[in-house]
Amino acid sequence: MKSILITGGLGFIGSNFIKHIFNKYDYHIHNVDLKTYAANHNNISEEINQSGRYSLSICDINDTDRLRNLIQKNNINYIVNFAAESHVDNSINDSTPFIQTNINGTHSLLNLLHDCPSIERYLQVSTDEVYGSLTEEDDAFTENTPLQANSPYSASKASADLLCRSFYETFDYPILITRCSNNYGPNQHEEKLIPLMIKNAKAEKKLPVYGDGKNIRDWIHVSDHCSGIDAVLHGGKIGEVYNIGGKNEVRNIDIVKTILKLLGKDESQIEFVKDRLGHDWRYAIDNSKIQNELNWFPSLNFKEGLQELI
């Protein structure tokens, strides 16, 4: 039986990936999570918890001694690193945790590859935000787009990506990187746009929208993102970067209006607030590489996925 180590598996995307792997493969799943504010034990179903194929360790990814022991004892074959501080606003208020987890934590995991020959593949889960911002006329991000991070969060993720690249180039370790567009779906923390808007709309509260709300994001359902990571983990070419996007570019204000409409609420709940510092204008991902090389395609239409989520 193969063994996979998933870091940050109590969080939004990590927990959905655990569900995906559990349902598709007969792997033993080791979840390592620091259990910060964004983690939730309820994200892992009772079926998985009681399966005998799943274990959880509350552990900092910077604790290399403990992780080395876990990897060697369980003969871990794959590592997928979801562990990250990910909320841009928090990185603006205090970037220190982002440096500690996203950069130092990734470095700690990469150093384990020196002592753990059982590891066949290490996959770093990154973000399209490392590419910076697009205008409405620009072509979508490709894997060759220069990294131009504009927030402490995206800078920390770009730094982690470069560390991964360096460990591949220097040591020839089996490293892969994925960069995804904005995720939505079940188990997402309420600090993020879509769950916050749904929660406030239902509670008859104001829906705070940054600036004029015209910033554009490419959205992907978390289940599509997980299937994309799966495709890269098992079929991607070592040392390569793969963009994973949903081909759903939507303005923030249009998302908010759609949520209100689906809930039968009035647009008077919308409240425009002071814009975020350094707010990127547009993200868009070119999926050509993962489609052509790994035959992966997103399956969920954004509006249908949003309605299902609500």
Side-chain angles (χ1 to χ4, degrees):
M1 182 185 291
K2 293 279 190 180
S3 290
I4 184 169
L5 173 64
I6 296 171
T7 67
L10 291 181
F12 168 44
I13 305 175
S15 63
N16 277 281
F17 187 69
I18 286 175
K19 178 182 177 182
H20 173 90
I21 291 293
F22 180 83
N23 289 333
K24 187 173 179 181
Y25 301 101
D26 189 26
Y27 289 176
H28 195 101
I29 302 167
H30 299 269
N31 180 7
V32 169
D33 198 292
L34 186 55
K35 201 181 177 185
T36 65
Y37 76 94
N40 188 342
H41 277 285
N42 294 327
N43 287 348
I44 305 298
S45 69
E46 194 64 24
E47 177 190 7
I48 294 175
N49 273 308
Q50 301 299 324
S51 67
R53 292 198 287 119
Y54 170 80
S55 65
L56 170 66
S57 300
I58 304 301
C59 178
D60 190 329
I61 57 173
N62 284 295
D63 189 345
T64 52
D65 290 339
R66 186 174 174 189
L67 284 180
R68 184 184 297 107
N69 181 64
L70 187 156
I71 292 168
Q72 293 177 344
K73 179 180 177 181
N74 295 283
N75 201 38
I76 298 295
N77 305 112
Y78 305 127
I79 297 178
V80 183
N81 182 26
F82 292 94
E85 295 285 343
S86 65
H87 193 42
V88 175
D89 287 352
N90 289 348
S91 80
I92 293 170
N93 293 330
D94 180 10
S95 60
T96 302
F98 292 77
I99 306 304
Q100 293 172 340
T101 299
N102 300 359
I103 301 177
N104 296 341
T106 297
H107 184 241
S108 295
L109 290 173
L110 291 170
N111 273 329
L112 293 171
L113 300 180
H114 293 308
D115 307 320
C116 302
S118 67
I119 297 169
E120 299 171 20
R121 292 192 163 213
Y122 172 99
L123 191 149
Q124 177 76 9
V125 179
S126 189
T127 170
D128 60 357
E129 293 192 41
V130 300
Y131 295 124
S133 183
L134 296 169
T135 68
E136 294 188 44
E137 293 76 31
D138 289 332
D139 293 333
F141 299 131
T142 72
E143 290 82 358
N144 294 320
T145 301
L147 304 189
Q148 294 182 313
N150 292 324
S151 71
Y153 160 64
S154 57
S156 68
K157 293 297 287 184
S159 300
D161 287 4
L162 291 174
L163 281 170
C164 289
R165 172 182 166 80
S166 74
F167 270 66
Y168 166 72
E169 293 289 345
T170 303
F171 304 110
D172 197 30
Y173 286 154
I175 291 168
L176 298 142
I177 299 171
T178 59
R179 295 178 181 143
C180 70
S181 53
N182 281 42
N183 279 230
Y184 72 102
N187 299 349
Q188 191 168 26
H189 194 276
E190 64 185 33
E191 69 188 0
K192 302 291 185 171
L193 176 68
I194 288 178
L196 175 64
M197 296 303 161
I198 293 173
K199 177 188 175 186
N200 282 14
K202 286 184 172 183
E204 303 292 338
K205 294 182 179 179
K206 290 293 185 181
L207 279 61
V209 176
Y210 282 130
D212 60 9
K214 293 182 179 179
N215 301 70
I216 301 168
R217 298 292 181 265
D218 176 20
W219 291 89
I220 185 170
H221 193 277
V222 66
S223 63
D224 278 334
H225 184 200
C226 289
S227 72
I229 294 171
D230 177 6
V232 174
L233 178 66
H234 292 96
K237 183 180 177 182
I238 296 299
E240 294 289 313
V241 176
Y242 292 87
N243 285 345
I244 304 175
K247 291 291 185 182
N248 293 300
E249 287 189 57
V250 190
R251 295 188 186 278
N252 289 345
I253 188 62
D254 293 331
I255 290 176
V256 175
K257 289 180 178 179
T258 299
I259 289 171
L260 288 169
K261 184 177 181 180
L262 290 172
L263 287 169
K265 303 291 185 178
D266 192 88
E267 291 183 8
S268 62
Q269 285 184 248
I270 296 173
E271 180 181 46
F272 293 99
V273 298
K274 184 179 179 180
D275 205 0
R276 167 190 284 166
L277 294 174
H279 199 178
D280 290 338
W281 181 252
R282 172 180 170 239
Y283 303 145
I285 275 189
D286 184 335
N287 275 340
S288 300
K289 182 175 179 178
I290 191 172
Q291 291 176 353
N292 294 334
E293 293 188 14
L294 303 178
N295 197 34
W296 175 89
F297 298 86
S299 63
L300 279 174
N301 169 275
F302 179 65
K303 189 171 182 180
E304 292 174 357
L306 186 59
Q307 188 166 15
E308 179 184 296
L309 176 65
I310 289 174

